[in-house]
Amino acid sequence: MDFNDIQSAWKNEKTENVTLPTHLDKINSANMPLEKIKKNLKNEFFYQIISIVFIGFMPYVYDIPANAFAPFYLLFSIFTAVCIYYLAKLFVFYKRLGTTSLNTKDNLYETYFDIRLNMEIYKTFGFALIPFVILFLFGFMHYNVPEFFTKELNNVPFMVTTFSIVIFSILFMGLALEWWVHFFYGKYAKEIRKVIDELKEE
């Protein structure tokens, strides 16, 4: 049989029963949660930038004394630098998602673990901001409840209150971060993970 015979037989072969592999449909189904993650990331950048700008104007909004401007903006500059560092990492992740094509199992695996990794980076970002939240809170209290800071530092009520503020801030930020990351990213990552698990069963 020569090449022409083979080509003719190929064309004449019935194709009614030919079906596409079902795993392609499953892989494509991961695109929807991926788009949700990309949309939330885009909104996140907008909200974060607005928040940084708002915090920068807090001395004017709350009429903070002039002698507090220098320490406030020194702390604010460090805070902003930390935000820029982590937001740059998340922006690179966002751009990478924009060029991701979920057309193979390998791409799906890589994208899923990339999402999980950046979820942890986001949590690290949140925990890196906790010291600033505590310091901003103490600064706010210092100028609004000055009598609290006139007490001796080894005064038991002062120490208990200070300890409570620090512990509450850390616990609150930790729980808020877990909820935030799960609500905006984690539940969509689970949908992608579900697709991966279904592909393993085939």
Side-chain angles (χ1 to χ4, degrees), residues 8 65 78 93 100 156 200:
S8 177
I78 302 172
F93 169 58
T100 297
V156 174
K200 286 181 179 179

Side-chain angles (χ1 to χ4, degrees), residues 64-65 67-68 71 134-151 153 158 165:
I64 294 176
N67 62 348
I134 294 172
L135 290 172
F136 280 133
L137 183 59
F138 275 116
F140 181 81
M141 289 179 61
H142 178 71
Y143 289 103
N144 287 274
V145 194
E147 62 274 10
F148 178 74
F149 290 91
T150 58
K151 300 174 183 179
L153 293 180
F158 177 84
I165 290 173

Side-chain angles (χ1 to χ4, degrees), residues 2-199:
D2 60 17
F3 177 75
N4 290 330
D5 292 332
I6 295 173
Q7 189 177 31
S8 177
W10 181 276
K11 288 180 179 179
N12 293 329
E13 186 178 350
K14 292 183 179 181
T15 58
E16 288 85 352
N17 295 324
V18 175
T19 58
L20 291 174
T22 58
H23 73 271
L24 292 178
D25 293 331
K26 289 181 180 178
I27 290 175
N28 289 332
S29 70
N31 281 301
M32 185 176 294
L34 183 64
E35 288 300 319
K36 291 283 188 180
I37 291 174
K38 287 162 61 177
K39 180 182 178 181
N40 289 339
L41 268 174
K42 185 177 180 180
N43 292 335
E44 188 83 34
F45 289 120
F46 176 76
Y47 297 141
Q48 292 283 359
I49 292 170
I50 293 297
S51 299
I52 293 170
V53 172
F54 175 76
I55 292 172
F57 282 99
M58 280 183 63
Y60 301 96
V61 174
Y62 290 100
D63 195 26
I64 294 176
N67 62 348
F69 272 52
F72 174 85
Y73 282 109
L74 174 62
L75 184 63
F76 178 72
S77 63
I78 302 172
F79 168 81
T80 304
V82 172
C83 289
I84 291 173
Y85 174 78
Y86 280 102
L87 289 177
K89 282 182 172 292
L90 292 174
F91 181 74
V92 171
F93 169 58
Y94 171 77
K95 297 295 286 185
R96 191 161 59 246
L97 286 183
T99 59
T100 297
S101 178
L102 299 182
N103 51 13
T104 66
K105 286 184 180 181
D106 288 341
N107 286 347
L108 191 60
Y109 274 106
E110 290 175 6
T111 301
Y112 172 74
F113 288 111
D114 198 13
I115 292 169
R116 296 295 306 181
L117 174 62
N118 280 275
M119 283 170 59
E120 294 305 315
I121 290 175
Y122 189 96
K123 291 178 184 179
T124 304
F125 172 40
F127 279 107
L129 297 183
I130 290 178
F132 298 100
V133 172
I134 294 172
L135 290 172
F136 280 133
L137 183 59
F138 275 116
F140 181 81
M141 289 179 61
H142 178 71
Y143 289 103
N144 287 274
V145 194
E147 62 274 10
F148 178 74
F149 290 91
T150 58
K151 300 174 183 179
E152 296 181 6
L153 293 180
N154 59 355
N155 184 282
V156 174
F158 177 84
M159 294 176 65
V160 170
T161 304
T162 303
F163 181 79
S164 300
I165 290 173
V166 172
I167 295 298
F168 174 78
S169 299
I170 293 173
L171 291 176
F172 175 79
M173 285 291 290
L175 292 173
L177 273 170
E178 288 292 337
W179 176 85
W180 186 274
V181 172
H182 171 74
F183 185 81
F184 288 100
Y185 307 104
K187 63 182 181 181
Y188 302 116
K190 283 185 176 181
E191 290 181 26
I192 296 175
R193 179 69 199 193
K194 183 179 178 182
V195 174
I196 292 174
D197 291 338
E198 290 174 353
L199 290 172

